[in-house]
Amino acid sequence: DESMPEQPPGGVGGATQPSAFGAYSAARLQSIRDKLIQQVQLLHMELDRHGGAERLVASASRGAGSEDAGDSLPLQAGMQLRERRMAEFSVDEVCEQLQALGLGQYEVVFRRRDVDGSRMMEVDEGELASLGVDHRMHRASILRMRDELA
């Protein structure tokens, strides 16, 4: 009897013929992986800056009712750890916040212009535009972040 041969797993051609969907999926997965790696690296930098994971765990285990609960390190958007106000941030810390917002493309100019936390407290939308933050929504996000950390 003449029956149709079985198709290999994955349909005609099996895994040997890459599809457009497969190539897109692989590229998307790599992009997600790269972003996760970047976030983990930022988290490690923050942990190191704040005394390491042991201090974070000790602080969390003391709980909100402890006398030094104000020393705890709450997680912020983008997994950034925060203890101080924006006005006290260094240029590096301002740039970390830009990265957490997904606006790392502005880091170079912020570093070149030495934009630290005290300077951030003085900038307005016009000055952000002069720094090269061309998108109105990007300027709004940066100002909102600044105000939330004020």
Side-chain angles (χ1 to χ4, degrees):
D1 87 348
E2 294 183 35
S3 62
M4 294 289 291
E6 267 189 43
Q7 290 184 355
V12 177
T16 60
Q17 293 181 349
S19 67
F21 178 75
Y24 169 80
S25 295
R28 181 74 177 128
L29 286 173
Q30 184 63 42
S31 172
I32 291 168
R33 180 181 176 274
D34 292 344
K35 287 178 183 178
L36 285 172
I37 288 171
Q38 182 181 25
Q39 287 297 315
V40 168
Q41 289 170 340
L42 285 172
L43 180 58
H44 281 284
M45 286 175 30
E46 285 294 307
L47 283 172
D48 289 344
R49 189 166 57 86
H50 291 289
E54 295 81 14
R55 181 166 176 254
L56 179 62
V57 170
S59 175
S61 67
R62 285 192 297 266
S66 69
E67 67 184 46
D68 58 356
D71 192 37
S72 65
L73 304 174
L75 290 177
Q76 294 295 318
M79 296 173 43
Q80 299 298 300
L81 300 173
R82 179 178 153 230
E83 280 189 313
R84 302 184 340 254
R85 296 185 176 285
M86 171 62 76
E88 301 169 341
F89 279 21
S90 67
V91 173
D92 288 337
E93 291 167 317
V94 169
C95 290
E96 288 171 13
Q97 293 297 321
L98 290 174
Q99 290 285 344
L101 289 173
L103 300 175
Q105 67 266 35
Y106 303 116
E107 182 176 349
V108 171
V109 71
F110 272 60
R111 287 186 186 283
R112 190 177 324 127
R113 299 274 185 92
D114 200 32
V115 179
D116 62 5
S118 63
R119 177 133 184 246
M120 273 298 296
M121 296 307 298
E122 299 171 3
V123 300
D124 59 15
E125 191 167 347
E127 188 169 354
L128 285 175
S130 73
L131 286 171
V133 183
D134 296 326
H135 298 286
R136 185 176 56 87
M137 294 306 293
H138 291 178
R139 292 191 299 268
S141 293
I142 292 169
L143 292 173
R144 186 172 39 254
M145 172 268 300
R146 180 211 49 202
D147 293 344
E148 287 174 2
L149 297 175

